Amino acid sequence: MVGLPLAEAGKLQNWLSRNRFHHSNFSISGLATAVKDQNLRVSVIIPSREVADTVGGVISRTVKPFVTAGVITSVIAIDNDSKDGTGEVAARHGATVLQRANIASELGPSQGKGDALWRALQVTDGDIVAFLDGDTSDPDPAHLLGILGPLILRNDIEMVRGCFDRPFKLPNGDIRPHEGGRVNELVARPLLNIHFPQLAGFRQPLAGEFAARRSLLEKLSFPVGYGVEIGTLIDAWQHVGLAGLAEVDLGTRQNQHKPLRELGTMAFAVMSTLERRLGRNSTSNNGQMWLPWHGAYREVSAVERPPLKLYLRTTKKIAPRAPADTRLLPPPFIKISGLSNFRDIGSSSRTSPMRRNVVYRGGGLSFLTQEGCAQLAAMGIQTVFDLRSFAETEKSLDNGKLTKSLLASTKSIDIIHAPIFKDEDFSPEAMTLRFKDYASEGTEGFKRAYRKILLNCHSAMTIILDRMSKSRPILVTCQAGKDRTGVIVMLLLLLSGCSADTVAEDYHLSEQGLGEAWKQDAIDRLSEKEAFADGKRQDIENMIGARKDVMLAVIEMVERDWGGVEGFLTKVVGISKAQLSKYRKILRGQLPEIRRFRRSELLNLSLRQWYHKNGPVVIDPVGDLSVKIEEKSDNVRNADGTYDTREVASFKVSRKVLVEASRVLHKMIGLAHFKDYLRNVVDLGEGRMK
């Protein structure tokens, strides 16, 4: 090959024969089998901005067959506050939709496509991550099949780039074959041939469809704009060599064509990115391009996001480490997308007096997906308590903003930050480091750690019990759902009347709920810490687990120091005995069930049907109004000229229905003299009524 030394030319020729593929070389069923055998997690990221007309097709036609087959575990559309409803369309087709500005928000607004890809990496945990453009007007499963195939079936390949036949669609609808991809043909490939001839074999170095292993992507810088494709290609080659790269023919693809003058700034970004990789990072134009037809400069950002590993380390954020749990666990565990160690504490033992569907417990919320939020809402969970400290939420990938946004999107779940410790990191790993001196002393390290939790849980425990009395079921979480959550759940189970053995059994279930992969990953990371440089792996395993004898020892400590759970809750938390009696009845299911009626349910029931069907039921939706309606007697008139009245019913109704939708209320009640009754509406307080 002309232009390359003989040895290098031979490598390129060998690469063309071994690492060039066609999408037809692979099948979805074959990839599904391989993914299952290797226990891989595969994520798809779709940068989406003002592409409402096409993004739905990309998700439903290109991605969905792989989700159905079990190849893809998460689909994330990264929106940028699109005004055309892009986010809504993507969500409707099953993607988790996140806004760019909410990820790494400390960096300010997103600056382009490359920035979107880099930010999206922070909210995925796939072993393999695939990127698809959201503006494809002719989506096809082949587009994803090709870029995933070599990565899933060949361990020696680290990144796969897609290439297409790119026709050009004229305004009149005529098609010109091979005329698309103008910047690719006129700028990218010529420059690679001149400066990086080893990469000359790539037909479309600017293709937006590519996939790679997370382990490689975390090492790459990401130009924030249009230079991301050529920048990551060159950097990946420098990390893994030509043999670690592959290209796949994905057939034909039709993109939205940009006007020629817009392609100038795109070409500027591509050339600037390549120049920086040559060490010629010229700052003479300060990243600005003069546009004569506008008579002004346009800024073309030269910013590059640092390798994700470096960014997470320097900002002390938490990276997605162990793959998310894909196991199907037996009861009492319930599979919630993106939430580990999730279960109903009333289902842990058949002999438990604790009522089911009152309190749930789970692991950290950092990876909770939109699907997971919908699952929680469908279960009727109304409040989620996050026991992590402010320090921990600050270190999380999204500072808690994404999780809060996702839960808020259900419009039925409140998230309450109720930190046991405001400023201390008390995750299992941090706790292990803090109490490492007691790691080899049986249960002593845990007793000291859990005593500290007990002495600092009064605020969290008070608000949990108070909210539980008003709306339930609730979910209690922390970093892993093991230590702080375990102590709170211990108190609730003991208050309900559970035996120490039952509480210890529930606590021990966290080992199964978190899984061996989580445990092994935590042990490996702690083994690298200086505090455990002496290699006492058994000490780490002792502190990272959830053994029955630990919880039994803690319960014994509560009995010895405070006379049991009631003594602790009255002396330390400050709850009266009358309140304790009430809370115990709630936990045991001995108080009337709080029923929440949706407005649609009320519309389908006349007042009398509702009353006879449900009997003496408390309706207690948060923020709704207690309404009492009285019926005026037309026959009995009092001496003062008023008519006798009798109470027809008491119920809860939203203020909006009452004030703004009187016709709806009229229909709901089904009574003749609506205006008279409305005048007699009383007790518009927030208290509960039976």
Side-chain angles (χ1 to χ4, degrees):
M1 289 191 174
V2 179
L4 273 177
L6 189 60
E8 290 296 321
K11 288 181 182 178
L12 179 55
Q13 191 64 52
N14 183 57
W15 179 82
L16 290 170
S17 63
R18 292 194 72 251
N19 287 28
R20 284 290 305 275
F21 303 91
H22 190 273
H23 67 81
S24 60
N25 298 142
F26 311 101
S27 68
I28 295 179
S29 60
L31 297 191
T33 300
V35 164
K36 183 177 180 180
D37 290 344
Q38 299 175 59
N39 194 27
L40 289 174
R41 286 186 59 82
V42 182
S43 301
V44 174
I45 294 172
I46 307 173
S48 309
R49 184 174 182 271
E50 309 295 349
V51 289
D53 292 340
T54 55
V55 70
V58 171
I59 297 169
S60 61
R61 295 180 59 189
T62 301
V63 181
K64 190 173 181 180
F66 295 85
V67 176
T68 303
V71 177
I72 302 298
T73 50
S74 61
V75 184
I76 300 177
I78 304 295
D79 192 19
N80 195 26
D81 196 25
S82 298
K83 306 304 180 187
D84 67 348
T86 293
E88 290 82 356
V89 173
R92 193 162 60 245
H93 284 81
T96 297
V97 179
L98 303 175
Q99 295 297 326
R100 298 183 192 180
N102 291 338
I103 310 170
S105 56
E106 70 277 6
L107 298 176
S110 175
Q111 298 188 40
K113 177 183 177 181
D115 204 4
L117 303 187
W118 180 81
R119 294 185 190 219
L121 271 180
Q122 300 185 47
V123 291
T124 60
D125 62 352
D127 306 298
I128 294 173
V129 182
F131 301 98
L132 295 177
D133 282 343
D135 66 347
T136 303
S137 57
D138 54 351
D140 191 296
H143 299 166
L144 191 53
L145 180 64
I147 60 176
L148 290 179
L151 286 166
I152 292 173
L153 300 180
R154 291 245 318 249
N155 292 330
D156 60 321
I157 292 177
E158 299 284 328
M159 176 180 282
V160 179
R161 314 291 292 213
C163 65
F164 303 88
D165 179 24
R166 295 285 303 278
F168 189 90
K169 187 174 183 179
L170 298 171
N172 64 4
D174 291 345
I175 300 293
R176 289 184 178 177
H178 321 305
E179 294 292 322
R182 291 163 287 174
V183 176
N184 184 80
E185 287 296 320
L186 300 175
V187 179
R189 287 211 299 120
L191 284 173
L192 285 180
N193 273 269
I194 294 170
H195 298 295
F196 297 95
Q198 298 88 345
L199 300 174
F202 283 89
R203 287 170 49 190
Q204 282 187 310
L206 301 186
E209 277 70 15
F210 70 97
R213 301 190 191 279
R214 168 176 288 280
S215 56
L216 173 61
L217 291 170
E218 289 181 341
K219 300 174 184 176
L220 305 181
S221 298
F222 275 67
V224 297
Y226 286 118
V228 63
E229 286 91 1
I230 198 166
T232 53
L233 175 61
I234 295 171
D235 292 353
W237 166 67
Q238 292 175 335
H239 276 282
V240 301
L242 190 60
L245 307 178
E247 188 176 50
V248 180
D249 187 336
L250 303 179
T252 301
R253 182 185 163 202
Q254 185 70 59
N255 282 87
Q256 297 176 358
H257 298 299
K258 297 182 182 298
L260 183 61
R261 288 181 171 178
E262 286 190 26
L263 295 182
T265 52
M266 182 177 179
F268 184 94
V270 171
M271 295 177 73
S272 298
T273 300
L274 189 139
E275 286 279 308
R276 290 193 294 274
R277 273 132 186 91
L278 291 171
R280 303 201 298 247
N281 190 10
S282 173
T283 58
S284 59
N285 63 359
N286 295 315
Q288 293 187 326
M289 181 180 181
W290 176 259
L291 303 180
W293 49 87
H294 288 309
Y297 281 101
R298 175 177 293 179
E299 184 174 351
V300 182
S301 180
V303 171
E304 296 203 17
R305 297 304 183 200
L308 188 60
K309 271 195 171 182
L310 175 63
Y311 170 77
L312 294 173
R313 186 166 64 247
T314 55
T315 57
K316 297 183 180 179
K317 290 195 173 185
I318 300 171
R321 294 183 179 112
D325 198 351
T326 57
R327 301 166 299 152
L328 292 177
L329 294 171
F333 293 101
I334 302 169
K335 184 67 176 176
I336 299 294
S337 179
L339 184 62
S340 63
N341 200 18
F342 180 83
R343 59 192 187 272
D344 182 345
I345 71 170
S347 301
S348 300
S349 170
R350 293 182 179 180
T351 61
S352 170
M354 175 76 191
R355 184 181 176 88
R356 296 186 179 187
N357 199 37
V358 174
V359 180
Y360 292 85
R361 63 183 295 174
L365 300 171
S366 296
F367 302 114
L368 184 64
T369 66
Q370 193 167 37
E371 178 188 358
C373 290
Q375 290 173 307
L376 294 179
M379 293 174 66
I381 290 175
Q382 299 170 22
T383 309
V384 175
F385 291 95
D386 185 353
L387 305 179
R388 294 178 299 169
S389 68
F390 294 113
E392 288 170 274
T393 55
E394 279 300 312
K395 286 199 302 184
S396 67
L397 293 174
D398 61 346
N399 297 335
K401 293 177 182 177
L402 292 177
T403 301
K404 195 167 185 177
S405 175
L406 285 174
L407 288 169
S409 69
T410 66
K411 298 181 180 179
S412 61
I413 300 177
D414 293 328
I415 180 168
I416 296 177
H417 190 200
I420 300 288
F421 307 102
K422 291 184 178 180
D423 301 311
E424 288 186 62
D425 183 343
F426 224 79
S427 63
E429 291 177 48
M431 191 189 76
T432 300
L433 286 169
R434 187 174 289 118
F435 295 94
K436 63 182 177 62
D437 294 338
Y438 308 98
S440 61
E441 300 181 22
T443 62
E444 192 60 30
F446 273 108
K447 286 169 63 178
R448 290 174 181 266
Y450 285 11
R451 182 180 181 84
K452 186 169 184 179
I453 294 173
L454 283 164
L455 293 175
N456 286 273
C457 77
H458 47 86
S459 296
M461 196 67 193
T462 299
I463 192 171
I464 288 171
L465 289 170
D466 180 67
R467 181 58 73 98
M468 185 184 68
S469 69
K470 297 176 180 177
S471 61
R472 51 187 184 270
I474 63 172
L475 167 62
V476 182
T477 73
C478 55
Q479 189 69 22
K482 181 178 79 75
D483 299 311
R484 284 161 293 188
T485 298
V487 170
I488 294 294
V489 168
M490 173 196 75
L491 295 173
L492 293 174
L493 289 175
L494 290 175
L495 181 60
S496 74
C498 287
S499 67
D501 286 336
T502 297
V503 178
E505 280 285 350
D506 175 78
Y507 172 75
H508 182 55
L509 283 171
S510 286
E511 289 202 356
Q512 185 180 7
L514 290 167
E516 190 61 33
W518 174 88
K519 182 178 179 180
Q520 190 62 47
D521 189 62
I523 292 172
D524 289 344
R525 289 197 304 277
L526 282 165
S527 298
E528 298 173 358
K529 302 290 186 181
E530 186 177 350
F532 289 99
D534 53 3
K536 293 184 178 179
R537 186 180 180 88
Q538 187 58 48
D539 290 354
I540 302 175
E541 291 187 20
N542 183 39
M543 288 295 290
I544 210 75
R547 306 190 324 268
K548 294 180 188 177
D549 62 319
V550 166
M551 183 52 66
L552 290 172
V554 174
I555 294 173
E556 183 182 353
M557 178 181 68
V558 172
E559 290 284 346
R560 182 188 68 242
D561 293 354
W562 295 290
V565 66
E566 290 194 19
F568 172 81
L569 291 173
T570 54
K571 297 172 186 176
V572 178
V573 181
I575 299 175
S576 69
K577 291 186 177 181
Q579 287 175 308
L580 285 181
S581 176
K582 173 186 173 182
Y583 295 144
R584 180 181 291 108
K585 289 180 180 179
I586 291 173
L587 293 169
R588 297 172 68 101
Q590 295 172 343
L591 286 182
E593 186 72 12
I594 294 179
R595 293 283 301 277
R596 285 173 66 94
F597 282 83
R598 296 186 180 91
R599 176 174 165 181
S600 58
E601 290 181 274
L602 289 173
L603 291 178
N604 292 328
L605 295 168
S606 73
L607 179 62
R608 290 189 179 89
Q609 288 174 322
W610 165 71
Y611 187 84
H612 289 304
K613 180 178 179 180
N614 295 286
V617 174
V618 177
I619 305 178
D620 189 22
V622 176
D624 286 358
L625 302 175
S626 301
V627 176
K628 184 188 296 180
I629 294 187
E630 298 177 338
E631 182 177 17
K632 182 177 69 175
S633 171
D634 290 330
N635 300 322
V636 182
R637 188 165 183 168
N638 299 321
D640 60 1
T642 62
Y643 290 93
D644 279 347
T645 60
R646 67 180 182 87
E647 182 178 320
V648 175
S650 301
F651 59 95
K652 283 276 190 175
V653 65
S654 73
R655 194 182 296 269
K656 179 178 179 181
V657 171
L658 181 66
V659 177
E660 299 178 12
S662 60
R663 293 181 183 178
V664 174
L665 185 61
H666 184 187
K667 180 180 179 181
M668 180 189 78
I669 296 176
L671 298 173
H673 306 293
F674 175 71
K675 289 183 179 180
D676 288 339
Y677 303 131
L678 191 58
R679 290 192 190 101
N680 286 320
V681 169
V682 296
D683 190 19
L684 300 184
E686 297 296 332
R688 297 190 305 167
M689 296 182 61
K690 294 184 180 180

